[in-house]
Every structure is written in structure tokens, then in C-alpha cells.
């Protein structure tokens, strides 16, 4: 395992909403533009440096509406200094062509999943041609991708993608292991470490998240192995047994505590922008 990649501080990403949970089931899920901005501000204060955004429509359903995506990017950018990442994964029902249009909202970063995977009872589709199109578009628009790895095979696909398309804008390669999705890579330290061992040398930083019950063990394993953290209600709705998450900032604050305890305190937004080579799109 590479220790050269181990940073002195920890990048904390918050994924506050996702596309899978219904607002009626979880009223604390931020789905309106106001709730998103309020969440972003609170999570930045709690230690997050990057926000992974899925947008919801007025009906609280997931949407890739270009106007709403732009509103979300601008709103969070105005209110915080967070690195603004838009999901290009969307919901499993979103058409591939529409997922490419996410970049029109001019985010700092976008997710790029490195292959198709089981996703609960469904399938999250990311065929090779789509990955290449999305990657080339991100390079052209100077948007920094975060490569999402749900499977060990996705690590190998990342190798192929870099070989075929070169490095991202800015030259940094940041990946995120998404573990514990039913039917995909399990949320265990063993699976995570197997993935880390396979990372191509071009990778400059990696983070990990665990879905549901895997949230905390994966955070601990990631920190111990030199990785960064992703937390948030997209991935986990329970703070502890019998205690639902009341606000995304609770998960960020706990991640910040854990990272600080392990002598790798949260990265500032400025440090995160440098570590990921984010192009400055801020106007203030
Ligand atoms: N909602 C999942 C189908 C991403 O944001 O790029 C895909 C996902 C990954 O959440
Ligand atoms: Zn997502």
C-alpha cells in the first residue's frame, strides 16, 4: 500500500442527498434549494471541503433539469467555498445522454463511475463508451472528475481509462471507493484494502464511503490506510443504532472528530482545491 499518498490532513466529502431516499420517508433529507444551501454551509462549518450533489425537483424527486442543476451549483458556490461536485450518476433510471449534460452546469468536479454495477435490485449502467465520452467532456470543460469505484473491476477500468484518455484537467487523480452497495463490493476493510492495493500509480488521492452499517467501519479503515472520507445521507441514514441522522452536519462533525483523533484533521477548502487541482470558478 502506498504511504506516499497519505496526506497530513483529511478531505471530508459530504454527499447530503443522493437519488434513492424519498423525502416522505426521511424529512431531514435536504431536497429543496434552500435546504441544500443550508446543508452546505453547516457541513463546511463542520469540516467538509467537498460536496457531492444530486439535485431534486420541486416534487422532491431526483432530476437532471439543467436549470435546477445550475441553480444548485451557483447557490452552493455563492454561500460556501466548498468544492462543488455534481453527480453524473443521477438515478439508475436516468438516460446516459442526459447524464452527460450535467457538465453544462459548470461544476468544479463531477463523479465518473468506472463501470456498470449491481445496485440493489437494479443496475447502475456505466458502459465503456459512456465513461470515455464523459471523461473527454470533463477534460474539455476543465472539470475535475472523481472516479467512483464500486467494484474491484472498476479499479482495472480506471487503468484502461487513463491509458486511453490521459490524465484529468490539472493532472490529479482522485478516486472514491463506494462500498457496501447491495450486490457490489462489500463494505469491509478487506475489500477496501484490496482495492487500494490495485490503484494505478497515477492516483494521487483516494477516499471511501460505506453504505448503511458499513459507514463507520469504512471511515475508520480508510483513515487508518491513509485515505480520505466521504459521509452523508446519500450513503447512510442512521447515526447510530436507533438514532436516525438529524442533519448531514452530524455525520461530517463525527468524521472530523475521528480524523482529528487519528492526527489527520479536516482539510481546508483551499487545501482541497490544491490537492484536487480544481480550476477556480468563484466570482467572489
Ligand atoms: N445514485 C446512483 C445510481 C454518482 O453519484 O455518480 C449513482 C450514484 C453515483 O450515486
Ligand atoms: Zn451520488
Amino acid at each position: 500500500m502506498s504511504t506516499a499518498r497519505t496526506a497530513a490532513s483529511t478531505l471530508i466529502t459530504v454527499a447530503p442527498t443522493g437519488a434513492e431516499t424519498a423525502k416522505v420517508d426521511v424529512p431531514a433529507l435536504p431536497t429543496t434549494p434552500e435546504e441544500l444551501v443550508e446543508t452546505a454551509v453547516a457541513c463546511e462549518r463542520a469540516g467538509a471541503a467537498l460536496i457531492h450533489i444530486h439535485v431534486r425537483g420541486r416534487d422532491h424527486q431526483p432530476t437532471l433539469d439543467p436549470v435546477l442543476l445550475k441553480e444548485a451549483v451557483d447557490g452552493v458556490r455563492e454561500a460556501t467555498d466548498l468544492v462543488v461536485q455534481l453527480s453524473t450518476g443521477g438515478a439508475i433510471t436516468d438516460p446516459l445522454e442526459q447524464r452527460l449534460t450535467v457538465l453544462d452546469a459548470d461544476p468544479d468536479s463531477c463523479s465518473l463511475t468506472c463501470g456498470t454495477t449491481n445496485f440493489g435490485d437494479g443496475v447502475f449502467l456505466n458502459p465503456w463508451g459512456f465513461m470515455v465520452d464523459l471523461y473527454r467532456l470533463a477534460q474539455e470543460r476543465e472539470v475535475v472528475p472523481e472516479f467512483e469505484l464500486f467494484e474491484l473491476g472498476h479499479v482495472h477500468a480506471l487503468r484502461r481509462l487513463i491509458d486511453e484518455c490521459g490524465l484529468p484537467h490539472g493532472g490529479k487523480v482522485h478516486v472514491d471507493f463506494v462500498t457496501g452497495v447491495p450486490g457490489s463490493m462489500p463494505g469491509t476493510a478487506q475489500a477496501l484494502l484490496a482495492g487500494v492495493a490495485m490503484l494505478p500509480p497515477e492516483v494521487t488521492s483516494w477516499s471511501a464511503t460505506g453504505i448503511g452499517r458499513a459507514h463507520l467501519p469504512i471511515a475508520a479503515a480508510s483513515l487508518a490506510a491513509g485515505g480520505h472520507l466521504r459521509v452523508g445521507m446519500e450513503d447512510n441514514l442512521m447515526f447510530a443504532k436507533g438514532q436516525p441522522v438529524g442533519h448531514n452536519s452530524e455525520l461530517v462533525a463525527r468524521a472530523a472528530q475521528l480524523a482529528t483523533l487519528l492526527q489527520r484533521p479536516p482539510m481546508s477548502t483551499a487545501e482541497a482545491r490544491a490537492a484536487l487541482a480544481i480550476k477556480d470558478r468563484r466570482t467572489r
Side-chain angles (χ1 to χ4, degrees), residues 19-20 52 54 87-92 111 113 119 124 148 150 234:
E20 284 73 39
H52 168 86
H54 287 254
S87 165
T88 63
I92 55 170
S111 57
T113 297
F119 197 83
F124 177 29
E148 309 293 343
F150 287 66
E234 173 168 347

Side-chain angles (χ1 to χ4, degrees), residues 77-160:
R77 198 172 273 153
E78 248 162 59
T80 74
D81 195 39
L82 293 169
V83 175
V84 179
Q85 179 182 97
L86 283 182
S87 165
T88 63
I92 55 170
T93 45
D94 287 327
L96 297 175
E97 315 77 59
Q98 212 184 341
R99 285 167 53 192
L100 291 174
T101 66
V102 164
L103 296 197
D104 295 344
D106 201 28
D108 299 320
S109 171
C110 66
S111 57
L112 193 167
T113 297
C114 290
T116 295
T117 186
N118 290 319
F119 197 83
D121 296 340
V123 174
F124 177 29
L125 207 60
N126 295 282
W128 175 250
F130 171 74
M131 288 165 56
V132 170
D133 289 349
L134 177 57
Y135 193 21
R136 294 223 156 105
L137 192 61
Q139 286 171 317
E140 201 182 293
R141 305 272 179 98
E142 302 184 335
V143 173
V144 174
E146 174 181 285
F147 300 98
E148 309 293 343
L149 311 173
F150 287 66
E151 304 270 11
L152 295 188
H154 291 182
V155 189
H156 196 49
L158 171 63
R159 164 78 279 146
R160 186 180 174 209

Side-chain angles (χ1 to χ4, degrees), residues 201-225:
E202 289 87 348
V203 171
T204 48
S205 56
W206 63 272
S207 66
T209 184
I211 303 299
R213 237 177 282 177
H215 214 56
L216 212 39
I218 285 293
S222 181
L223 282 171

